[in-house]
Amino acid sequence: MEIKVLTDILEANDAIAEQNRKKFDESNVVVFNLIGSPGAGKTSIIEVAIRKLKKKYRIGVIEGDIETSRDAERIAKLGVETLQINTQGGCHLDANMIASALTGFPYQSLDLLFIENVGNLVCPADYALGEDAKIVVISVPEGHDKPAKYPVIFRNASLMLLNKMDLVPYCDFDVEAMKQDALNVNPDLDVIGISCTTGEGAEEWAAWLTERIKRRKSRG
Ligand code: MG
Ligand code: ZN
């Protein structure tokens, strides 16, 4: 019975996500759903992308948090369209929250929209929002066991950003084993090691996004 209820909720969510996706497609905006634990560095990674790409592309950010507008305030300082959703205790964003947010957000004029999900590696993996792709953000201090323990997000993501690479010398973290575990779950997963402190991987991250934006524009 419980399983049936969950299936119904996810089906209803998927139907709304499909409507969101249609709106994004009509406006030619590429949308990424960033998922990771609290403190993994999702907001910092978005900031890196904005600094690299804001001269070339029109970028917007929807921030999902349980409380506060701190992340949206950080992003807004970079001069891009920003909107904060507070879930009031909710541990993930759902498609309906995004649909409501879109009524007051000028997504039509964007090339690239980031949706930063609530810090949580579990249920955000199951809720489609209408995005082109999910991006999983994992940071080195969290440990290399995450793909084995939380396989769903690694299976559903198109890119894994391995953040805080500058901390590898100080942590018991096996980069190659972690990549291999992630690829075992999802052989199509792209992987980029990044450090928002040293700038490592920033070019590669910007190139990955640029490729996606160009692919969308050529599709028309
Ligand atoms: Mg954040
Ligand atoms: Zn949740």
Side-chain angles (χ1 to χ4, degrees), residues 42-43 63 65 71 116:
K42 297 180 293 302
T43 312
E63 283 289 338
D65 282 288
D71 285 354
E116 182 182 333

Side-chain angles (χ1 to χ4, degrees), residues 12-67:
N13 182 77
D14 282 351
I16 301 168
E18 228 18 77
Q19 294 167 14
N20 292 345
R21 181 167 291 124
K22 207 162 160 264
K23 286 183 185 165
F24 294 139
D25 280 350
E26 283 165 4
S27 302
N28 254 336
V29 50
V30 186
V31 183
F32 297 109
N33 178 4
L34 273 84
I35 297 171
S37 304
K42 297 180 293 302
T43 312
S44 299
I45 271 170
I46 293 171
E47 287 174 321
V48 168
I50 292 170
R51 288 201 184 94
K52 287 269 172 206
L53 297 174
K54 75 173 175 182
K55 286 197 183 114
K56 257 165 87 185
Y57 299 112
R58 295 162 300 175
I59 304 173
V61 181
I62 295 176
E63 283 289 338
D65 282 288
I66 292 175
E67 300 275 352

